[in-house]
Amino acid sequence: MSEFDGIKRTRIQQQAIVNPNAARAQSFFDIAAEARSMQTEFANEAKQEASDAGRLAGQNSVAMNKDGSITRTAIPDAGRYYTKEFMSAQRVSAKGALENNIRLQAQEFITENQNNPDAAALFTETFGENYLKPLVESLAPDIRGQVQVMADGVFRGTLNTLTDIEMKRQHDESLKAYDNSRTANLKNMAEMYRNGQIEQADALKAKIFDNAGEAYPRLLTLDGINALNVDIQKAELGGKLITEIEGMGDIEALARIRAFEDNQVKDLSAADMAEMASAAKALVV
């Protein structure tokens, strides 16, 4: 039996030993981390504010001059973020202002020279050589290349438009001249047939057909040729009918006109026959 038998044992629980210096150090670390976080947040906010301010200032730093050139405000030394956004926004604003003005000037030229046969040559000289070329050469290197590409596109597009307008103008003038000539020739031919000038009328008819051949297809379509053929037949047959009834009495002439109206002629409608008969009746009744 042990000498410790009968003695109550007590268990002693161990507790963590807290180092007060370590706790204070951790507290300092936490405060420092929070300070750095707040500092970073403040710095980011300051960067964003500077960037926004620089961007806005850059957007409003370009002025358009009366001669089509631009004036750019000098780049400020206002910190990295402000200046970077200022420069970027100013480039965009400058290119946009120039493009808008170049397109506007080109459109105004087109409007003012719609009926000028020398518009394309004048545009090349006044717009291309006297305006665009010196304008692009005067630009700063940071935007010159992009503006040059844009300006070349506007120039070529406008020149093509002016060329198309001139071609249409010439076409319209040629068409008007052809229509006037055709109308006058048809009238003269009909008059010749009515007066019994058959040889002269036939010669003019041949000329009308020749002119139509030259006009097709630039000025005259197939439908136009068919319509012209109808007009020629009406002028010829109607004129010959009038010549034929001139020596007849009224009754005989009216009978001849009715017989004429009842005929069927290739390419001519009943309305066409009635129209020629009506013109002949007007000379009898």
Side-chain angles (χ1 to χ4, degrees), residues 38-83:
M38 293 178 63
Q39 184 180 20
T40 300
E41 182 178 349
F42 291 150
N44 289 336
E45 289 179 358
K47 291 177 185 178
Q48 188 62 51
E49 289 177 359
S51 297
D52 292 343
R55 186 181 307 108
L56 180 61
Q59 291 170 348
N60 294 282
S61 66
V62 177
M64 180 62 64
N65 302 319
K66 291 183 178 181
D67 62 356
S69 63
I70 59 171
T71 298
R72 300 168 67 177
T73 302
I75 298 174
D77 184 9
R80 179 176 58 175
Y81 300 103
Y82 181 102
T83 302

Side-chain angles (χ1 to χ4, degrees), residues 20-271:
N21 293 329
R24 284 195 295 271
Q26 183 61 45
S27 177
F28 291 150
F29 290 149
D30 292 342
I31 293 173
E34 183 176 355
R36 285 195 299 270
S37 176
M38 293 178 63
Q39 184 180 20
T40 300
E41 182 178 349
F42 291 150
N44 289 336
E45 289 179 358
K47 291 177 185 178
Q48 188 62 51
E49 289 177 359
S51 297
D52 292 343
R55 186 181 307 108
L56 180 61
Q59 291 170 348
N60 294 282
S61 66
V62 177
M64 180 62 64
N65 302 319
K66 291 183 178 181
D67 62 356
S69 63
I70 59 171
T71 298
R72 300 168 67 177
T73 302
I75 298 174
D77 184 9
R80 179 176 58 175
Y81 300 103
Y82 181 102
T83 302
K84 178 182 178 181
E85 290 299 325
F86 179 95
M87 294 173 61
S88 178
Q90 186 185 74
R91 283 195 298 270
V92 173
S93 181
K95 289 184 292 185
L98 286 167
E99 180 172 1
N100 290 337
N101 191 65
I102 289 172
R103 292 188 184 281
L104 178 63
Q105 295 293 332
Q107 187 58 50
E108 287 180 353
F109 185 95
I110 292 174
T111 302
E112 294 171 0
N113 291 273
Q114 290 278 348
N115 299 314
N116 184 355
D118 300 320
L122 183 63
F123 179 76
T124 299
E125 178 182 354
T126 61
F127 193 87
E129 294 296 325
N130 299 342
Y131 170 58
L132 278 187
K133 185 177 180 179
L135 173 64
V136 173
E137 291 176 349
S138 70
L139 298 176
D142 63 334
I143 63 172
R144 184 185 302 148
Q146 291 176 305
V147 173
Q148 177 73 69
V149 173
M150 177 274 299
D152 288 345
V154 173
F155 178 81
R156 289 193 300 270
T158 305
L159 194 60
N160 289 338
T161 299
L162 292 171
T163 301
D164 291 342
I165 290 174
E166 175 58 19
M167 290 177 63
K168 184 179 183 303
R169 187 188 67 81
Q170 291 180 5
H171 176 272
D172 291 346
E173 288 184 355
S174 298
L175 180 59
K176 182 178 180 181
Y178 171 74
D179 286 341
N180 291 339
S181 175
R182 179 185 57 188
T183 300
N185 287 336
L186 286 170
K187 181 179 179 181
N188 292 335
M189 185 187 70
E191 188 69 26
M192 290 175 182
Y193 278 124
R194 284 196 295 269
N195 293 333
Q197 299 172 294
I198 305 302
E199 291 185 5
Q200 295 92 326
D202 286 344
L204 186 53
K205 179 174 67 173
K207 180 181 178 181
I208 293 173
F209 277 123
D210 288 342
N211 290 344
E214 294 176 359
Y216 175 81
R218 189 169 66 90
L219 304 176
L220 197 61
T221 63
L222 285 175
D223 289 340
I225 291 177
N226 292 333
L228 176 62
N229 184 57
V230 170
D231 290 337
I232 289 174
Q233 288 195 74
K234 287 167 62 177
E236 180 179 357
L237 296 178
K240 287 182 176 179
L241 175 62
I242 291 174
T243 299
E244 184 180 352
I245 65 172
E246 281 184 352
M248 298 179 181
D250 290 351
I251 296 177
E252 183 182 8
L254 290 174
R256 177 68 187 92
I257 292 172
R258 283 193 295 271
F260 174 88
E261 187 173 357
D262 292 338
N263 284 338
Q264 291 184 351
V265 180
K266 183 182 178 181
D267 297 329
L268 296 184
S269 66

